[in-house]
Amino acid sequence: MTEPNQTRFNQEAANWDSNPSVVLATELAVESYLPFCSASFDILDLGCGTGLLSLLLAPHVRSITAVDSASGMIDVLTAKLSSSSSHQNVKNVLAVCALLQDPDDARLQIDPLTKATLGSETRARTFDLVVSHLVLHHIPDLAAVFKTIYGLLKPGGKVAVTDFEDFGPEARKFHPESKMDGVERHGIKREDIQKIIEETGFESVTVETAFELPKRVESEPGKGDIESGPTKVFPFLICSGTKP
């Protein structure tokens, strides 16, 4: 993730969970991910933010390694997992602050459930499923991130990512003009993302509408009146594939 993104998300971390559209989008995404989950699965949540998605998925899987490059977001998640938090009974989520580019990153070798670390003589830890929600539109090089995801997965493992769709010029309204720094694209295009995932080496690739998100937008670009602005419906895609 680029520096403007990290700066923005560090600044917004403390109030992130109070944004109703963020919470609603996450809840809808969880419903899309559940068919991919199993109680035995070890999952990596790439771009986990404050852990909204990870904490909702945690009861449905064995473990979740929650990774984000914004230290402010990870600090909020770590606080949630502390003994003083209402999430203190969640024992299978590990928060990791990392700009993840290497599938063999040593910071991923800790088992969130047992806290055991793989020895140097053991192969790098891999995952049954990698999920990522509302992250792709912030990433400059999508081919590179899917290559990393591919390396993180076990044979037969799956990727499932959700983001809003680039359905034309109106998709730009998803972000207010004041928050365009770090936005690499206004949603994802079906044909483009399918091609990237297939060219990475994934099989059984599907790209389909997962849900629609009603979201308040500026009445005019740059007006800054989101709280009183009109509501626009944004379609979200779920993009999935299986590592051979």
Side-chain angles (χ1 to χ4, degrees):
M1 190 174 286
T2 59
E3 185 174 344
N5 282 306
Q6 292 189 36
T7 300
R8 174 194 164 191
F9 290 122
N10 282 332
Q11 292 172 343
E12 296 187 7
N15 298 315
W16 190 251
D17 294 2
S18 64
N19 185 325
S21 68
V22 167
V23 174
L24 177 57
T26 304
E27 292 172 345
L28 293 170
V30 168
E31 295 301 316
S32 301
Y33 290 138
L34 286 178
F36 294 90
C37 294
S38 167
S40 64
F41 275 12
D42 294 310
I43 291 182
L44 186 139
D45 181 1
L46 185 60
C48 66
T50 62
L52 286 170
L53 181 71
S54 292
L55 292 169
L56 289 172
L57 287 177
H60 304 279
V61 298
R62 179 186 178 276
S63 75
I64 299 183
T65 300
V67 181
D68 203 287
S69 62
S71 59
M73 292 288 188
I74 291 296
D75 288 345
V76 172
L77 175 54
T78 300
K80 289 180 182 180
L81 297 171
S82 72
S83 58
S84 61
S85 166
S86 60
H87 298 284
Q88 60 183 302
N89 292 324
V90 178
K91 305 298 184 185
N92 63 339
V93 175
L94 176 69
V96 177
C97 186
L99 179 59
L100 195 54
Q101 297 174 309
D102 180 4
D104 298 335
D105 194 308
R107 291 167 289 188
L108 305 181
Q109 303 312 304
I110 299 172
D111 185 321
L113 192 60
T114 67
K115 304 304 186 285
T117 303
L118 293 179
S120 58
E121 74 283 357
T122 313
R123 66 176 176 80
R125 183 166 175 258
T126 50
F127 298 86
D128 300 288
L129 174 66
V130 174
V131 298
S132 188
H133 173 58
L134 271 175
V135 174
L136 297 185
H137 69 274
H138 290 292
I139 296 176
D141 189 344
L142 291 180
V145 79
F146 277 101
K147 182 178 179 180
T148 299
I149 290 171
Y150 190 90
L152 289 164
L153 288 166
K154 300 174 181 178
K158 296 181 182 295
V159 59
V161 297
T162 46
D163 211 327
F164 70 102
E165 182 177 7
D166 178 354
F167 56 90
E170 290 290 291
R172 181 184 178 92
K173 294 182 179 180
F174 189 87
H175 296 93
E177 291 298 314
S178 63
K179 295 185 178 181
M180 287 298 179
D181 279 354
V183 175
E184 297 293 334
R185 58 189 60 79
H186 303 296
I188 52 177
K189 294 183 178 180
R190 291 174 184 255
E191 298 80 6
D192 293 351
I193 198 69
Q194 177 148 353
K195 181 179 179 183
I196 289 170
I197 299 173
E198 289 175 343
E199 289 181 347
T200 304
F202 287 98
E203 297 178 345
S204 303
V205 176
T206 62
V207 178
E208 56 191 5
T209 302
F211 57 89
E212 293 184 332
L213 176 73
K215 185 178 187 293
R216 286 194 178 275
V217 299
E218 293 177 309
S219 59
E220 298 176 11
K223 192 169 183 179
D225 59 345
I226 287 182
E227 291 187 3
S228 59
T231 297
K232 187 167 186 62
V233 175
F234 293 88
F236 271 63
L237 301 178
I238 185 163
C239 316
S240 64
T242 303
K243 180 177 179 178

